[in-house]
Amino acid sequence: MNDPAGAPALSEIAIKPLKHVNGAAHRWVAFIVMVAFFALAPTFIYPVFLMKVMCFALFACAFNLLLGYVGLLSFGHAMFLGIAGYAAAYVAKEGLNIEAIRLGTIHIPLNIALPPFTPELAILTGVLAAAILGYVAGLLAIRRQGIYFAMITLALAQMVYFFCLQAPFTGGEDGIQAVPRGKLFGVIDLSDVKAMYATVFVIFIGGFLVIFRIIHSPFGQVMKAIRENEPRATSLGYDTDRYKLIAFVLSATLAGLAGATNALVFQLAALNAVHWTMSGEVVLMTLVGGLGTVFGPVVGVLAVLGMENYLAQLGAWVTIVQGAIFVICVLTFRRGIVGELARWIKKPL
Amino acid sequence: MTDDYVLETRELTKEFKGFVAVNKVNLKVRRGTIHALIGPNGAGKTTCFNLLTQFLPPTRGRIFYKAKEITGSKPSAIARMGLVRSFQISAVFPHLSVLENVRLALQRKRGGSFDFWRSERILNALDDRARELIASVGLSEFEQTIAVELPYGRKRALEIATTLALDPEVMLLDEPTAGMTHEDVGRISALIRRVAQNRTVLMVEHNLSVVADLCDHITVLARGEILAEGDYATVSRNPEVVQAYMGKGYA
Ligand SMILES: Nc1ncnc2c1ncn2[C@@H]1O[C@H](COP(=O)(O)OP(=O)(O)O)[C@@H](O)[C@H]1O
Ligand SMILES: [Mg+2]
């Protein structure tokens, strides 16, 4: 199966279950361990760090939905994380004030004047922005294969980056700062760390379960077929472009959920979230954790961010150490942490 | 009566950067027959399959399926009309189980599978039918095996089971017995004969004893053009055919 001339196929790196397993008891165990960890960890780990982990874990899971299960390498996923963050931060801080839309000579008066959004509506706005951007980017990228797909997503993400740098409402280099967390449903004050933590926890677990369901749905089955052998899926009568587009939009939307939540946690929407290095980092985190595994991205994020956090005193060396670990990962256990674990227990995780 | 012909091409031509791989081919496949497409390597057989199923757009010419023009349709739409192809290199979903492979074909007949919010458990309703198909190609004991681990001949059997799951009117098989052991060849050709009872089969095949044994009608292709047509006796007596095969050092 190895193509000696090129890199291993994506499906090669992804987990290969040895047997088809119907009972999923071990997955429930893994899920409960994960839930318990994030429920109990704030007693001994800095909660803000954990909230960052959960936001990025959701981001990586959304990315993995595309790369690990459809076989599409998007190298611009930061655009969804970032745009959702900006949209959520903006409406949470400023509300929405649009007097009119001018399209050439057409003038549509709107007179929208909304006060700052509550957090759930701000997040919804961010998610919506990511979904729309996902649809547009997907339409442009989906017809291309392999490296061309990655290049187009990267190019689009760069355009979004410059848009965020230049647009009047994104705050340029400063970003949107001091975003109020506000009151959830107008009731629960999120400036309380415990309330904010609980909210992020629910969003993360909810998003994780949605992704789990997508993977294990009739649609998910077709996604895997496309990853495994797209021409064959086509020859069975599946219009693969449509499936890929829907998967792309779902992935972008969930990445947006992560980005919007992240902006509220840090009360900040800034350029680093739309920068191409962010797109690279999510690839790294997913590969380290285990591409095409359900839990891999979560573990990968924990490993990478943990490393960043505890190696912070090394300064610029963090990047180098990270790079070295990435190389070691790819060379020695290319299925990632969870991928190797799953292989060891001979069950998909 | 064009209705006798389930598949028909007119002046079908494919050029790759000036190189003519398929040249003005007028192919007529009669309904309910097993039709062989033979010819030396590089004759354009696989390209023909790619054109018929619109995996490649023809440079010129038209394709008719059940008297309806399908030139320019999407390949997935053509498959849904009942014209289903296999591939020269084995086409399975390597890291899915045998059962899942076949089920994916059955799943397609539900219509679109865009329901990402439903549990895949609803697909279990297809398992019985999938098992029947798997049994019909002799793969019952491999039902839970991951396709990549099957021996080559079994992979081809799985491919046929998956194609059959769509209950196609026309099956296009590209070298179904290539690279197989002797027993596998016997098993696969028996299988093809059986499944061809209520459908049309167009197959590329190098094994001439399989062709002689199975096929009602033969089209010989050489350098992209039709060289000869007819039943096995007619075609094998044609001096040009013998020449084309010997000249290429055909084994
Ligand atoms: N995608 C392609 N691009 C360029 N040339 C091709 C392509 N596909 C096939 N060919 C050429 O067309 C000719 C016919 O190929 P093919 O249809 O695969 O032959 P066969 O299946 O009869 O062995 C060959 O010379 C091959 O090199
Ligand atoms: Mg060929």
Side-chain angles (χ1 to χ4, degrees), chain B residues 177-212:
Chain B
T177 68
M180 279 189 181
T181 62
H182 193 65
E183 304 104 76
D184 280 342
V185 171
R187 189 171 29 223
I188 294 290
S189 50
L191 179 61
I192 293 170
R193 184 196 301 284
R194 186 151 48 83
V195 304
Q197 271 161 11
N198 42 9
R199 69 190 89 239
T200 312
V201 174
L202 173 63
M203 61 193 282
V204 171
E205 183 54 64
H206 277 323
N207 188 327
L208 291 183
S209 67
V210 172
V211 173

Side-chain angles (χ1 to χ4, degrees), chain A residues 17-192:
Chain A
L18 295 176
K19 285 272 179 229
H20 180 72
V21 184
N22 290 319
H26 60 285
R27 273 197 167 145
W28 275 111
V29 173
F31 180 70
I32 288 164
V33 168
M34 183 180 81
V35 170
F37 172 78
F38 284 108
L40 301 175
T43 55
F44 53 93
I45 300 176
Y46 190 44
V48 174
F49 171 72
L50 286 169
M51 287 194 273
K52 183 176 177 187
V53 167
M54 286 191 283
C55 289
F56 277 82
L58 182 55
F59 179 39
C61 285
F63 171 80
N64 182 45
L65 183 66
L66 209 54
L67 180 57
Y69 291 93
V70 196
L72 289 173
L73 171 58
S74 158
F75 209 78
H77 246 47
M79 66 179 144
F80 308 120
L81 184 84
I83 206 78
Y86 274 113
Y90 186 86
V91 296
K93 191 175 180 184
E94 314 281 352
L96 199 57
N97 299 287
I98 307 173
E99 274 175 26
I101 292 179
R102 231 171 266 123
L103 291 168
T105 54
I106 310 162
H107 184 90
I108 311 163
L110 286 173
N111 294 322
I112 297 175
L114 298 171
F117 285 24
T118 50
E120 72 283 359
L121 289 179
I123 289 174
L124 197 65
T125 309
V127 169
L128 213 62
I132 293 167
L133 182 62
Y135 183 71
V136 175
L139 276 183
L140 294 169
I142 232 73
R143 281 164 200 284
R144 302 278 166 267
Q145 311 280 336
I147 193 72
Y148 299 103
F149 177 84
M151 275 161 55
I152 289 183
T153 50
L154 175 60
L156 291 169
Q158 286 303 91
M159 283 165 61
V160 171
Y161 176 82
F162 285 112
F163 171 79
C164 291
L165 184 63
Q166 301 293 341
F169 48 84
T170 51
E173 300 275 0
D174 300 330
I176 305 174
Q177 299 185 5
V179 177
R181 283 180 180 171
K183 288 187 170 151
L184 192 64
F185 306 114
V187 188
I188 307 162
D189 190 353
L190 293 185
S191 55
D192 173 40

